[in-house]
Amino acid sequence: MVKLLSILLFLSSFLFSKSIFNEEELKYIENKKFITVSNEFDYEPYDFNRNGKPSGYSIDLLELILKDTGLKIKYSTKPWTQLLEDLYSRKLDIIHTIYKTKEREETMSFSTGYSKVIQSYIIRKNEKDIDNINNLFGKKVGVSKGWGEVEFFKRFPQIKMVFYKNIEEKLNALSIGEIDAIVNSNNVANYYIKKYGYTNLKISNPIKNMYGTKLDNHHYAALKEKSILISIINKAYDNTSIEEIEELNKKWFGKASSSNVIFNEKEQEYLDVKKSINLCIDPDWLPYESFDKRGNHIGLSADYFKLFSQESGLKFNTIKTDSWSQSLEYIKNKKCDMVSLITHTKEREKFFNFTSSYLKIPIVIATKLDISFIDNFNNLGDRKIAIVKGYGVAKSLLKKYPKLNIVYVDNISKGLDLVAKGEVFGYVDSFATISNTLQSEQKTQLKIAGEADIYWNLSSGVRKDEPILVDIMEKLINSVSVEQKQKILNNWIVIKYEKTIDYSLIWKILLFFTLVLLLFIYKQYLMKKSINEFSQLIDSTMEAILIFKENNLIDSNQSAVKIFAYLDKKDMKDMTFDDFISRESKELAYKERENFEDNIELLAQRKDGSKFHALFRDSSLKDKNIRVISVIDITHIKQLESQTKQAQMGEMMENIAHQWRQPLSTISTISSGISLNIDLGNKPEYNTISEDMNRIVSTTKYLSNTIETFRNFLKEKKELKEVVLQDRLNLVISIVSDSLKSRHIKLKNNINEEKFTFTTIVGELDQVLINIINNAKDAIKENDIKEPWVELNLEKNEKYFLLTIEDNAKGIPEKIIDKIFDPYFTTKHKSQGTGLGLHMSYKIVTESLRGKLYVENTKNGAKFFIEIPYTFE
């Protein structure tokens, strides 16, 4: 008995394979002992491993669809990044729960999408919902190496990525506030949030354009060299019953969890009660619909209704009928609730409510091979034309061609047989149906000989007493994407036909060349329009624009005329670049000629010979003979820089005063003591006088060293030089330490002893550090901080040094933190500053030092980050 059962199982598997796979696929299955499939440790509910057992929706679905193929599955359980490496090194046959991207499509073949998910932002409940990616600028997101999210966030350097091993680690970090957001599918996020009790987390808005669209499918994938395996999976998936897939969906996601269709209260109540729908089809109308040998619904409509079932949770029971006429009778007798594909006619409105059309089919005629091409059905005269009884297209044909002599038949095979025997002239049906039948039944003596110049618009028809069902079906039809429609068509309609010579082609060619000529004329018009718009555009800019060809000025804008004090553009024409810069800057200009794509400061010259400070920038074009140079007058900025330097000098003098106050007090105390003893007649002892003199000498040396330190700091040339970073920091600390002590501010110096050598412009980093520390000092005073401190930290990363300055002055208000590096922005009274301090610091770090300067609020106060590259490039 057991042996007989095994034989029956083998035969059923063989017959299953035989019915859907081609010879190459069958041979592959026969020779392949097993396939190696990926398994992640912890991507619930799709793919995970518990106690050594692979589990999840993707695992169950693959085992379901391959159960009758004869293929065995061997799982390889590893982290995601290792699984990707194993796929490329051919240790894996299949990887799954993977998104399709353009990069991956270069090396991988992908199966039909099997689980549509929405990628969304996951945030804490007390945070404002994220409307777009800009809401995350300046914040941290959790990502995992090897996931598609990393490539997505690389496009936004304003967002800091923090790497974690898996989704659980990311959710935990988000829950405790280490990061501000993560991204994942709604299904996965809901699963983890509920299972692990993250009550302070929520799913925010969907992500726009993460992988080209906010909705993505999970796929099975293999290397392109193993695309036959994907073909097998696709065919097996299409042959899996809707009922089994729906049960699997309910097991892992609950009822209709993956639907993207929103039903109203009445519609949802109908779905909850109805559960299943009796569906009638045309039993002999491939490739649109039919029954296979096992009685399963197949064809275009079957693929559509599989989607409808997944989106709604409805089970569609296909009722077996012998003909289309019988299917219509079943509707009238209420044995069926609806038909899948039907033409909307006035007569049928008595029994049906119709959805909108979702298939548009060209109508053609099949004849014997010796018949010439039929370009107009009016030319058929009284010749007999066969068509299936009950087809609504007959009404459309007779309306357009009232003289047609129509003979009705039960099905397409009978109609084509009558044509082959010569009993009728032709058979009329859809292009795809006739093509499919001619090929499958090998009717080589027939051909498609013409089009009827009308289309068969097919809808779904629902019984009159089911008004809610037609509304549900309309929503389901509208939910099918253009890509899904095209895929269904490609699966079933692949046959083409050839016409005889069509003389209308000559007119089409003439029309084509006419359109090309018109397009050329239109392009010329657009070009002239673009030139005018370009002139208007450059005239609207504040900076001067100079356009040179082979070093002679050919055009400029109004700002250039104004900045360089000329009468008009004509007055400037044919001038050279040298005419716009002063004699003092010519050497620098030619020395830096290759670096003009970066801003370069030169002394510019007006028509009257007067000079002014300006920034020059050279924009490269494809035509190397054309140069576009933009010029900005920075005279006002230079004046403000001078004011800023004066303010810095004031702060420097304050630092000097603090450093000198204690030593001068010491000298004053010693000398006053000696003078007082002499006045009182107390003769000082020699040892005492000697000790006091030594202290005065020592203190005087300290004052001298202090003067030398400040003098060296102020007179240092701004030139590239190799320096030790710790030496520069120690110099800054020596300058500001006494000023901090006088305000009882503790300086936490965490700079390690390891010497970091790098090339930089000497002195500029010192100015930045002093500026930031002075700002911290002012903030501490303003906020009346008890036990104040400023902390310095230094570390070395792969490409740069990271220097941080943090204080405990309560931080920078969120509403202004994004503006503090803007020029002229200040919270101080105008008598205390110009607002250029941090702006100039930002320019020094980003432009002179080629680094980065940014700020974040911590639990203590403000923390400034300075990234300095190892070399000055």
Side-chain angles (χ1 to χ4, degrees):
M1 183 67 183
V2 174
K3 188 177 289 187
L4 177 61
L5 183 59
S6 298
I7 292 170
L8 288 173
L9 286 171
F10 171 78
L11 286 173
S12 66
S13 175
F14 174 77
L15 290 172
F16 165 81
S17 302
K18 191 77 175 173
S19 63
I20 64 172
F21 300 128
N22 60 34
E23 289 185 14
E24 185 184 2
E25 291 162 347
L26 288 171
K27 188 174 180 181
Y28 179 90
I29 292 170
E30 183 180 350
N31 295 332
K32 190 78 171 173
K33 302 299 180 185
F34 60 84
I35 58 172
T36 307
V37 176
S38 65
N39 175 223
E40 278 194 82
F41 284 106
D42 45 19
Y43 192 63
E44 302 177 55
Y46 287 99
D47 181 25
F48 58 100
N49 192 292
R50 289 293 177 268
N51 302 317
K53 177 177 171 53
S55 302
Y57 178 81
S58 298
I59 298 285
D60 284 0
L61 180 63
L62 187 64
E63 291 179 353
L64 171 65
I65 63 182
L66 293 184
K67 67 179 180 180
D68 293 327
T69 63
L71 283 171
K72 305 297 181 186
I73 300 174
K74 180 180 178 181
Y75 292 101
S76 175
T77 307
K78 293 180 181 180
W80 177 251
T81 50
Q82 186 60 55
L83 290 171
L84 280 173
E85 290 177 11
D86 285 359
L87 180 73
Y88 286 118
S89 61
R90 292 159 182 79
K91 294 178 184 177
L92 278 181
D93 295 308
I94 292 291
I95 194 167
H96 56 84
T97 322
I98 187 171
Y99 295 120
K100 185 194 296 185
T101 66
K102 288 183 179 179
E103 290 180 357
R104 288 172 176 170
E105 284 186 290
E106 292 176 4
T107 54
M108 298 183 198
S109 291
F110 289 85
S111 73
T112 302
Y114 60 82
S115 178
K116 181 173 284 188
V117 294
I118 303 174
Q119 291 287 334
S120 296
Y121 300 103
I122 295 92
I123 58 175
R124 288 181 292 278
K125 283 185 177 178
N126 62 344
E127 299 291 340
K128 185 180 178 182
D129 280 328
I130 298 174
D131 298 320
N132 58 62
I133 192 68
N134 295 338
N135 297 154
L136 286 177
F137 285 5
K139 296 185 179 181
K140 300 176 184 177
V141 296
V143 297
S144 296
K145 187 178 179 182
W147 290 26
E149 60 193 16
V150 176
E151 293 303 316
F152 174 68
F153 282 114
K154 275 183 181 179
R155 292 154 44 193
F156 304 100
Q158 306 93 330
I159 301 171
K160 184 175 182 181
M161 289 188 283
V162 183
F163 287 84
Y164 297 94
K165 291 181 181 178
N166 50 45
I167 178 68
E168 191 174 350
E169 280 193 9
K170 287 188 282 190
L171 285 168
N172 187 59
L174 178 62
S175 178
I176 63 177
E178 286 183 2
I179 53 177
D180 300 294
I182 67 171
V183 299
N184 217 302
S185 73
N186 289 8
N187 286 342
V188 173
N190 270 324
Y191 186 93
Y192 272 87
I193 287 171
K194 290 177 181 177
K195 180 173 181 178
Y196 296 102
Y198 291 113
T199 56
N200 67 329
L201 301 184
K202 69 177 180 179
I203 297 172
S204 187
N205 293 320
I207 300 173
K208 297 174 182 176
N209 297 321
M210 183 166 185
Y211 303 105
T213 174
K214 66 180 180 182
L215 294 178
D216 304 287
N217 286 324
H218 284 142
H219 299 265
Y220 298 101
L223 293 179
K224 283 193 171 181
E225 65 198 48
K226 297 183 181 181
S227 57
I228 188 173
L229 195 49
I230 297 300
S231 176
I232 291 170
I233 289 173
N234 281 342
K235 289 182 178 180
Y237 179 75
D238 290 339
N239 208 66
T240 303
S241 73
I242 294 170
E243 293 78 15
E244 289 177 302
I245 292 175
E246 186 56 31
E247 284 301 314
L248 205 58
N249 287 335
K250 288 179 181 178
K251 171 184 174 182
W252 288 103
F253 307 121
K255 186 175 180 181
S257 62
S258 61
S259 176
N260 190 42
V261 182
I262 300 173
F263 299 108
N264 62 35
E265 188 175 345
K266 287 185 179 180
E267 292 164 348
Q268 191 59 56
E269 185 179 346
Y270 179 93
L271 292 171
D272 293 339
V273 173
K274 190 71 174 178
K275 305 291 185 186
S276 64
I277 300 294
N278 289 335
L279 176 70
C280 272
I281 68 169
D282 187 330
D284 187 21
W285 197 28
L286 281 176
Y288 299 104
E289 56 188 10
S290 184
F291 291 102
D292 64 11
K293 293 179 181 178
R294 296 190 294 174
N296 294 320
H297 179 193
I298 59 173
L300 277 150
S301 68
D303 286 358
Y304 271 101
F305 274 82
K306 185 178 284 188
L307 289 176
F308 298 157
S309 179
Q310 290 172 357
E311 292 289 341
S312 65
L314 279 173
K315 178 181 178 182
F316 292 95
N317 301 317
T318 312
I319 306 302
K320 188 77 169 66
T321 58
D322 297 325
S323 66
W324 174 242
S325 299
Q326 189 179 40
S327 293
L328 293 176
E329 287 298 320
Y330 272 31
I331 288 288
K332 295 175 185 178
N333 299 329
K334 298 189 177 182
K335 292 182 180 180
C336 285
D337 299 309
M338 64 178 295
V339 290
S340 53
L341 293 172
I342 190 170
T343 306
H344 186 163
T345 65
K346 278 284 184 184
E347 292 81 359
R348 288 173 175 170
E349 288 180 358
K350 181 179 178 181
F351 304 101
F352 291 99
N353 287 320
F354 297 93
T355 67
S356 58
S357 170
Y358 63 98
L359 276 179
K360 186 177 182 180
I361 305 166
I363 302 303
V364 298
I365 184 170
T367 67
K368 288 185 177 181
L369 294 175
D370 57 351
I371 303 298
S372 299
F373 180 74
I374 301 166
D375 60 354
N376 193 325
F377 271 36
N378 283 321
N379 297 331
L380 293 175
D382 61 352
R383 286 180 252 191
K384 294 179 179 178
I385 303 298
I387 193 168
V388 173
K389 183 181 179 182
Y391 276 7
V393 75
K395 297 281 186 183
S396 301
L397 280 168
L398 287 171
K399 185 176 180 180
K400 185 161 187 175
Y401 306 107
K403 294 181 181 180
L404 280 183
N405 186 3
I406 294 179
V407 175
Y408 293 100
V409 294
D410 290 334
N411 53 56
I412 185 173
S413 296
K414 289 181 180 179
L416 292 174
D417 284 342
L418 291 178
V419 176
K421 293 174 183 178
E423 296 180 21
V424 297
F425 174 77
Y427 171 77
V428 173
D429 208 320
S430 78
F431 162 66
T433 304
I434 293 179
S435 297
N436 184 76
T437 307
L438 291 179
Q439 185 186 56
S440 62
E441 298 185 8
Q442 297 184 347
K443 295 185 181 292
T444 55
Q445 73 277 36
L446 304 180
K447 70 174 184 179
I448 294 174
E451 295 181 359
D453 198 26
I454 63 171
Y455 287 88
W456 205 335
N457 291 303
L458 295 171
S459 313
S460 285
V462 180
R463 271 188 5 221
K464 275 285 188 181
D465 58 346
E466 294 282 1
I468 297 178
L469 179 57
V470 77
D471 294 335
I472 291 171
M473 291 305 303
E474 183 67 24
K475 287 184 177 180
L476 292 172
I477 288 169
N478 290 334
S479 74
V480 182
S481 68
V482 174
E483 292 79 8
Q484 288 172 317
K485 289 180 180 180
Q486 190 59 51
K487 182 173 176 59
I488 292 172
L489 284 171
N490 293 343
N491 285 343
W492 291 98
I493 301 178
V494 294
I495 304 167
K496 298 179 180 179
Y497 70 94
E498 296 181 2
K499 297 180 180 180
T500 57
I501 296 173
D502 183 358
Y503 293 101
S504 65
L505 182 61
I506 296 171
W507 290 105
K508 291 177 182 176
I509 293 171
L510 287 173
L511 177 62
F512 170 75
F513 281 108
T514 303
L515 289 173
V516 170
L517 179 61
L518 290 172
L519 182 62
F520 175 76
I521 294 170
Y522 182 62
K523 284 276 188 181
Q524 293 296 313
Y525 162 74
L526 289 180
M527 188 178 296
K528 290 181 180 178
K529 184 181 177 184
S530 296
I531 291 170
N532 291 332
E533 288 176 350
F534 176 73
S535 297
Q536 293 174 11
L537 177 64
I538 65 171
D539 278 337
S540 68
T541 61
M542 294 177 62
E543 65 266 32
I545 303 293
L546 305 173
I547 303 175
F548 294 89
K549 183 175 183 179
E550 296 177 350
N551 205 36
N552 289 107
L553 189 74
I554 60 173
D555 200 2
S556 60
N557 66 349
Q558 290 299 328
S559 293
V561 174
K562 182 179 179 181
I563 288 174
F564 288 99
Y566 284 85
L567 295 175
D568 53 34
K569 294 181 183 180
K570 293 178 183 178
D571 197 20
M572 300 169 65
K573 198 166 184 181
D574 292 329
M575 292 177 62
T576 66
F577 176 69
D578 288 358
D579 296 326
F580 296 100
I581 56 175
S582 71
R583 181 174 50 81
E584 297 92 327
S585 289
K586 279 185 171 55
E587 183 180 348
L588 176 62
Y590 282 97
K591 181 181 177 182
E592 299 291 337
R593 196 70 172 258
E594 299 300 322
N595 297 323
F596 260 40
E597 288 189 3
D598 297 324
N599 290 334
I600 181 169
E601 185 179 328
L602 300 173
L603 203 58
Q605 182 171 283
R606 299 184 181 92
K607 182 181 179 180
D608 60 8
S610 61
K611 299 164 188 175
F612 63 97
H613 291 278
L615 282 181
F616 285 73
R617 185 182 183 88
D618 190 348
S619 300
S620 59
L621 298 178
K622 289 182 180 179
D623 186 345
K624 299 297 182 183
N625 292 323
I626 302 292
R627 295 173 62 206
V628 179
I629 295 178
S630 58
V631 185
I632 300 175
D633 185 349
I634 59 171
T635 304
H636 183 56
I637 293 175
K638 297 296 286 185
Q639 291 171 348
L640 288 170
E641 282 183 4
S642 177
Q643 293 175 19
T644 302
K645 287 179 180 177
Q646 290 175 10
Q648 289 174 343
M649 283 294 296
E651 291 173 347
M652 193 66 70
M653 292 304 297
E654 182 187 356
N655 287 323
I656 293 172
H658 282 297
Q659 292 220 17
W660 278 21
R661 185 174 290 118
Q662 182 61 39
L664 290 173
S665 176
T666 300
I667 293 172
S668 175
T669 302
I670 294 171
S671 59
S672 297
I674 294 172
S675 176
L676 181 63
N677 281 326
I678 291 173
D679 290 342
L680 294 174
N682 296 329
K683 186 178 180 180
E685 294 182 2
Y686 173 80
N687 290 339
T688 302
I689 292 175
S690 176
E691 184 179 333
D692 287 342
M693 290 302 106
N694 286 336
R695 287 177 64 193
I696 289 174
V697 169
S698 175
T699 305
T700 305
K701 283 183 179 179
Y702 172 78
L703 291 173
S704 178
N705 289 337
T706 302
I707 292 170
E708 191 66 21
T709 296
F710 282 101
R711 190 170 67 86
N712 289 337
F713 172 76
L714 293 172
K715 78 172 185 176
E716 273 184 325
K717 294 181 180 179
K718 300 297 185 282
E719 59 183 1
L720 280 175
K721 187 177 178 183
E722 188 172 83
V723 299
V724 176
L725 183 54
Q726 282 84 348
D727 291 347
R728 306 310 302 179
L729 298 178
N730 289 333
L731 173 62
V732 170
I733 290 169
S734 70
I735 291 171
V736 301
S737 58
D738 281 359
S739 176
L740 295 176
K741 285 178 183 177
S742 70
R743 286 181 167 86
H744 308 291
I745 300 171
K746 181 179 180 181
L747 179 64
K748 299 180 180 181
N749 182 1
N750 297 329
I751 308 301
N752 58 43
E753 296 300 321
E754 182 185 355
K755 300 297 182 183
F756 296 156
T757 303
F758 74 112
T759 302
T760 185
I761 296 178
V762 175
E764 292 195 331
L765 177 61
D766 309 346
Q767 293 178 34
V768 173
L769 295 174
I770 291 172
N771 201 331
I772 293 173
I773 292 172
N774 281 335
N775 279 347
K777 184 176 64 177
D778 293 341
I780 287 169
K781 178 182 178 182
E782 183 181 344
N783 291 300
D784 194 22
I785 303 299
K786 308 300 180 186
E787 299 182 2
W789 52 260
V790 175
E791 183 175 40
L792 297 178
N793 282 284
L794 175 65
E795 61 182 75
K796 184 178 180 181
N797 292 331
E798 292 180 2
K799 296 182 179 179
Y800 55 84
F801 303 110
L802 177 62
L803 180 64
T804 62
I805 306 102
E806 184 179 5
D807 60 54
N808 66 335
K810 297 183 181 179
I812 302 168
E814 290 295 331
K815 64 181 180 181
I816 67 167
I817 194 169
D818 293 333
K819 301 177 183 178
I820 64 169
F821 296 120
D822 294 348
Y824 319 124
F825 180 82
T826 179
T827 58
K828 302 175 183 178
H829 188 271
K830 62 183 179 181
S831 64
Q832 295 177 278
T834 63
L836 282 172
L838 284 177
H839 174 65
M840 295 305 300
S841 297
Y842 183 82
K843 285 188 67 177
I844 288 171
V845 173
T846 58
E847 295 179 12
S848 294
L849 302 181
R850 302 293 195 270
K852 294 180 181 179
L853 172 61
Y854 52 96
V855 64
E856 293 178 1
N857 281 328
T858 66
K859 63 182 179 180
N860 302 307
K863 186 173 185 178
F864 285 82
F865 297 79
I866 304 174
E867 296 178 6
I868 308 169
Y870 298 159
T871 57
F872 187 90
E873 297 176 351

